[in-house]
Amino acid sequence: MRVLCVAEKPSIAKAVAGHLSGGQVQSVSLKSHIGPSAAMLNIGLLTHAQHNTPEKYIKNYVFEYDFGHPWGRCHVTMTSVLGHITSAVFPPEYKRWDHPPPDRLFDAPVNVIIAEDKTKVADNIEKQARYANALCIWTDCDREGEHIGYEICEAARKGNRTLDIKRAKFSNIERAHILNAARNLIDLDHKQVNAVSSRIELDLRIGYAFTRFLTTNLRTLGGPFEKLVLSYGSCQFPTLGFVVDRYFRVRNFKPEPFWSIKVMHKREGMDVNFSWSRTRLFDRASTIVLYERCLAAKMAKVTKVQEKPTKKWKPLPLTTVELQKMATIFLHMTGQQAMEAAENLYNKGFISYPRTETDRFDSGMNLRALVQKQTQSNSWGEFAQNLVNGGFQQPRQGRNDDKAHPPIHPITYVAPTALSDKEKKIYEFVVRRFLACCSEDAKGVATDVDILYGEESFHAHGVVVLERNYLDVYIYDKWTGTAQLPKFTVGETFEPTEALMTEGKTAPPNYLTEADLIALMDANGIGTDATMAEHIQKIQDREYVCAVPRTARAADGEDDDEGAPTGRGGGSRGGRGGRGRGARSGGSTVGGRGGVKEFIPTKLGVALIEGFDRMNFETSLGKPFLRKEMELKMKAICEGRTTKEAVLNESIRQYRQVYLQSQEKLNILKAACRQYVLQQNGG
DNA sequence: GCAAGGTC
């Protein structure tokens, strides 16, 4: 029996080959010396494989393995592809932009071909399949992976129609886990394959049709439109929509004045600030009345003193989205730069796979061994050593598991001098995050003091940090909070050192930072961990949005308490709602100073979103709902509640409807463009 | 010249 195994990427092929061959990695690579098992191999196959390794980064590993039940002991060739190998395209007669009209792309044939840059990869599969009786798919166990698995099947069948085809189900590359997967092969899930091929087809039809529609129709407006490509995509447009939406919320914000009462008391050399339980009132006269009653009472009475242990939780294991958010906030990089650096580190073997949604480590992983490797660092080695010496704690378990990759973690130690600036920062972050995950929550004591002053109650909160624990290594988290409080006793009365009535006004929300934008995309299912940064880049390349350094804004400096900067009208609705932590949308302290950029739509970006908003009542292309709907439909296909055909029919009809509507109301879109871009009124 | 998704 001869089995061809194919993974989604070279790193998985290498790891799986290593495990299945018995751990003697050096004996499995065709590039290196062939071990004792070579005697068992068909020499023709061997030399064939050896001389036709398609790309420098794809290898065919040859070894033996006993799969147990269906196949028994086999000669195995393990190789990989590089992501998708096929591509969906329109026939050549649809190449022109002026003819046939773009809406024909909704029912034009879609051909699936081997992607231009993947012919060698596909050839390798096809040729290797000729020598095999069976094919075993080792692509990632997610939807796209299932589809890539199908693409591999098709390529292999070209070489051999009689293959017995199975799939390995695995969610990490721990030895025991891989061996278990190899002994319990399952079938490809065609529902998932169909879900993905629906997405591919819809993205192609919709993207091409609307891009051509926009570009050619708006060209007639002249000016900048003559040269621009106005692309539409199911991810880039909603991303733009978020930026425009926030822009309008900032612009339309109406500040409202508010009034508050602040009580301060000096004791034991400390200034204790008490905040008002009503926070603030939007009515001056009422505040004055309440304030004067406080003053009239003269003495404040302590009604509650509570001391209780508290802790600040260590961070969750690192996902791609979180890495990008943190990098944009603390490392002064864009999401794309962060990903590029992370990919380099991965390719050099320093960190694990950087595209993951998983925020929990598999219990089988030997995390202590990974911590041990960091003990040689000058910066965090001592911290790591303390973990090794007994401080180690199992990381928290998040709720997300993509069933394909573990959280991002360091694989081995690397000296900072061997890395570029950006790689250094990302590597340091990954390591510190990992060590933080493996240590203990920070611990402290929280003190709460409530007072009654007149008829108004006020509150002071203090924290004393007792054990910094993970904070020592995870320098991105601070636990300043409020400082220590002096001693107060229930029932005592005192005359506050100061009682002031303050005035402020609500401030608009901030423009979106990249971290906010990523959080919004994440929460709305726009793009994937691997593509979010690309979409953000794309809308900048298209001149739909600009990234500009955040300017010091007058509203931020309000000398008020912590509640001040967020207006009730807008700020609190800001970029929250993503899962996980880290998306700080308040404009205050952000990683040192300067360098934080925020996204502002260009006039073009505003015109496009506004234009679509004004013409399509039900299904606006600028909103994330359509993409979310596509996500739900894919899920329905996976769960057998609907079929690919039904989804395609329905969605194509729906989008054609939007297209026709847009065509009918093209003048509305044009008017928006004249208004915002060409700054003409009327029209 | 157009999409989004994999991956290098």
Side-chain angles (χ1 to χ4, degrees):
Chain A
M1 191 78 171
R2 296 185 183 284
V3 177
L4 173 61
C5 292
V6 186
E8 185 165 322
K9 44 187 164 276
S11 59
I12 298 288
K14 181 180 179 183
V16 172
H19 291 321
L20 298 189
S21 68
Q24 298 159 345
V25 182
Q26 66 273 33
S27 72
V28 300
S29 171
L30 284 181
K31 292 266 180 196
S32 57
H33 173 69
I34 301 299
S37 62
M40 311 278 291
L41 295 168
N42 176 316
I43 294 303
L45 168 60
L46 178 63
T47 48
H48 174 87
Q50 206 167 19
H51 293 309
N52 288 283
T53 302
E55 309 262 331
K56 62 177 185 299
Y57 29 75
I58 291 195
K59 287 188 178 133
N60 295 332
Y61 299 96
V62 178
F63 55 92
E64 290 197 20
Y65 181 72
D66 187 347
F67 282 89
H69 171 54
W71 299 339
R73 189 152 188 86
C74 299
H75 300 291
V76 182
T77 297
M78 175 107 215
T79 188
S80 82
V81 291
L82 297 158
H84 289 283
I85 54 180
T86 60
S87 177
V89 296
F90 290 113
E93 57 267 34
Y94 293 87
K95 226 166 88 181
R96 284 173 49 179
W97 285 46
D98 54 341
H99 177 84
D103 60 309
R104 288 275 303 282
L105 296 177
F106 287 117
D107 47 28
V110 168
N111 299 327
V112 174
I113 60 166
I114 300 293
E116 213 177 323
D117 55 341
K118 297 296 168 54
T119 54
K120 285 178 178 171
V121 177
D123 280 351
N124 183 49
I125 304 293
E126 182 182 333
K127 282 178 186 147
Q128 294 300 329
R130 288 188 200 144
Y131 302 95
N133 313 96
L135 172 65
C136 185
I137 305 291
W138 286 85
T139 48
D140 293 352
C141 291
D142 51 25
R143 273 195 316 232
E144 296 291 332
E146 213 66 14
H147 192 273
I148 293 168
Y150 176 73
E151 296 169 34
I152 293 166
C153 290
E154 292 301 291
R157 281 195 193 114
K158 271 187 212 155
N160 183 343
R161 305 234 59 106
T162 65
L163 286 170
D164 185 21
I165 300 178
K166 288 286 176 190
R167 182 217 216 297
K169 191 182 176 193
F170 63 106
S171 55
N172 64 67
I173 50 166
E174 282 280 303
R175 173 178 197 78
H177 186 77
I178 290 298
L179 292 177
N180 185 51
R183 293 289 169 95
N184 295 283
L185 300 178
I186 59 171
D187 292 316
L188 262 194
D189 179 357
H190 285 272
K191 293 193 181 106
Q192 290 188 62
V193 175
N194 284 332
V196 172
S197 57
S198 308
R199 176 198 60 74
I200 291 172
E201 186 176 323
L202 288 173
D203 278 338
L204 177 73
R205 291 189 189 282
I206 298 160
Y208 272 47
F210 279 102
T211 298
R212 290 181 185 182
F213 168 80
L214 284 175
T215 306
T216 54
N217 281 302
L218 296 182
R219 178 150 302 170
T220 59
L221 290 171
F225 291 100
E226 281 174 26
K227 293 196 179 83
L228 289 168
V229 170
L230 305 177
S231 63
Y232 172 84
S234 60
C235 289
Q236 47 177 281
F237 243 60
T239 306
L240 168 62
F242 292 135
V243 177
V244 173
D245 182 64
R246 179 61 69 90
Y247 168 77
F248 277 116
R249 271 200 258 158
V250 173
R251 239 196 45 165
N252 297 336
F253 186 83
K254 300 265 186 299
E256 283 180 85
F258 62 78
W259 293 267
S260 184
I261 305 172
K262 230 162 88 173
V263 173
M264 198 276 278
H265 189 61
K266 256 189 187 1
R267 180 176 285 189
E268 299 168 26
M270 291 178 250
D271 286 0
V272 185
N273 290 307
F274 289 89
S275 52
W276 194 17
S277 59
R278 298 181 200 265
T279 310
R280 63 191 172 197
L281 293 181
F282 291 90
D283 181 67
R284 184 162 182 268
S286 318
T287 314
I288 290 177
V289 169
L290 298 172
Y291 174 61
E292 283 176 348
R293 285 186 198 159
C294 289
L295 294 183
K298 257 196 131 77
M299 300 297 279
K301 182 176 179 185
V302 178
T303 56
K304 190 180 114 185
V305 176
Q306 192 178 53
E307 276 205 351
K308 58 178 180 204
T310 181
K311 51 187 177 182
K312 187 172 174 64
W313 286 7
K314 62 187 181 180
L316 283 168
L318 185 61
T319 63
T320 305
V321 162
E322 177 72 1
L323 170 71
Q324 291 186 39
K325 286 197 286 197
M326 296 298 277
T328 61
I329 294 172
F330 293 107
L331 308 181
H332 304 304
M333 285 187 213
T334 67
Q336 272 211 321
Q337 290 169 334
M339 286 312 289
E340 196 185 313
E343 275 153 24
N344 290 339
L345 291 166
Y346 161 70
N347 287 325
K348 293 184 217 164
F350 299 142
I351 67 169
S352 66
Y353 193 64
R355 291 186 275 269
T356 176
E357 295 173 23
T358 308
D359 54 9
R360 56 196 310 166
F361 282 104
D362 188 274
S363 56
M365 270 186 77
N366 188 353
L367 301 178
R368 282 187 167 82
L370 296 173
V371 173
Q372 170 74 52
K373 294 187 178 174
Q374 296 299 330
T375 55
Q376 53 191 304
S377 161
N378 287 328
S379 311
W380 52 78
E382 202 181 318
F383 189 92
Q385 188 62 53
N386 282 336
L387 294 185
V388 171
N389 295 346
F392 178 89
Q393 300 247 324
Q394 195 62 26
R396 292 167 57 199
Q397 301 229 304
R399 265 179 292 153
N400 306 295
D401 190 343
D402 62 17
K403 302 284 183 212
H405 308 283
I408 303 169
H409 62 272
I411 297 289
T412 183
Y413 176 77
V414 55
T417 47
L419 301 174
S420 75
D421 267 7
K422 290 196 169 61
E423 289 166 7
K424 209 180 301 176
K425 286 200 236 172
I426 293 290
Y427 180 74
E428 173 172 356
F429 175 73
V430 169
V431 173
R432 288 186 183 275
R433 174 78 168 219
F434 175 70
L435 294 176
C437 284
C438 295
S439 58
E440 210 173 338
D441 295 336
K443 291 180 182 160
V445 177
T447 312
D448 288 293
V449 178
D450 289 0
I451 59 169
L452 198 62
Y453 187 30
E455 286 160 45
E456 296 304 302
S457 52
F458 296 81
H459 178 91
H461 179 78
V463 172
V464 180
V465 181
L466 298 179
E467 298 173 35
R468 289 182 48 80
N469 295 330
Y470 88 88
L471 290 170
D472 282 333
V473 73
Y474 198 60
I475 55 183
Y476 320 96
D477 255 5
K478 301 274 179 282
W479 197 15
T480 48
T482 15
Q484 195 171 350
L485 292 186
K487 187 84 184 150
F488 285 94
T489 315
V490 179
E492 72 165 293
T493 57
F494 62 91
E495 184 176 355
T497 313
E498 206 172 84
L500 295 172
M501 182 168 145
T502 61
E503 184 177 347
K505 59 178 191 298
T506 57
N510 287 313
Y511 292 115
L512 291 177
T513 63
E514 187 159 0
D516 296 334
L517 191 49
I518 289 168
L520 277 172
M521 294 172 75
D522 189 32
N524 286 279
I526 306 298
T528 68
D529 49 11
T531 61
M532 280 182 214
E534 289 173 27
H535 299 312
I536 293 173
Q537 186 57 51
K538 176 74 80 180
I539 58 175
Q540 295 174 76
D541 294 345
R542 293 278 183 247
E543 297 178 35
Y544 296 164
V545 313
C546 284
V548 301
R550 173 166 288 172
T551 51
R553 297 165 71 212
D556 276 358
E558 217 87 84
D559 62 334
D560 217 286
D561 62 78
E562 56 205 40
T566 27
R568 64 169 184 185
S572 53
R573 290 168 64 205
R576 301 290 158 82
R579 42 182 189 255
R581 58 223 310 282
R584 291 167 178 75
S585 52
S588 48
T589 51
V590 183
R593 252 210 59 77
V596 184
K597 296 202 167 173
E598 47 192 17
F599 291 103
I600 298 174
T602 62
K603 291 164 183 166
L604 173 62
V606 171
L608 291 176
I609 293 295
E610 266 294 285
F612 271 113
D613 270 356
R614 289 177 190 170
M615 40 180 204
N616 312 115
F617 324 105
E618 319 148 28
T619 35
S620 176
L621 293 177
K623 298 273 186 288
F625 312 130
L626 283 170
R627 182 72 207 190
K628 218 165 202 176
E629 202 175 299
M630 193 188 293
E631 195 64 31
L632 290 175
K633 286 176 175 172
M634 280 166 68
K635 224 173 156 191
I637 296 175
C638 290
E639 290 166 7
R641 286 182 279 117
T642 184
T643 62
K644 171 182 169 180
E645 289 68 31
V647 166
L648 284 177
N649 274 332
E650 191 188 17
S651 297
I652 289 173
R653 189 154 40 92
Q654 183 186 13
Y655 278 98
R656 189 190 272 121
Q657 188 67 33
V658 176
Y659 185 97
L660 295 177
Q661 208 175 3
S662 307
Q663 206 167 31
E664 257 171 48
K665 301 183 184 163
L666 183 61
N667 53 347
I668 296 180
L669 178 61
K670 283 185 170 173
C673 289
R674 287 197 194 95
Q675 179 194 338
Y676 288 102
V677 184
L678 305 174
Q679 315 263 289
Q680 302 164 355
N681 290 322

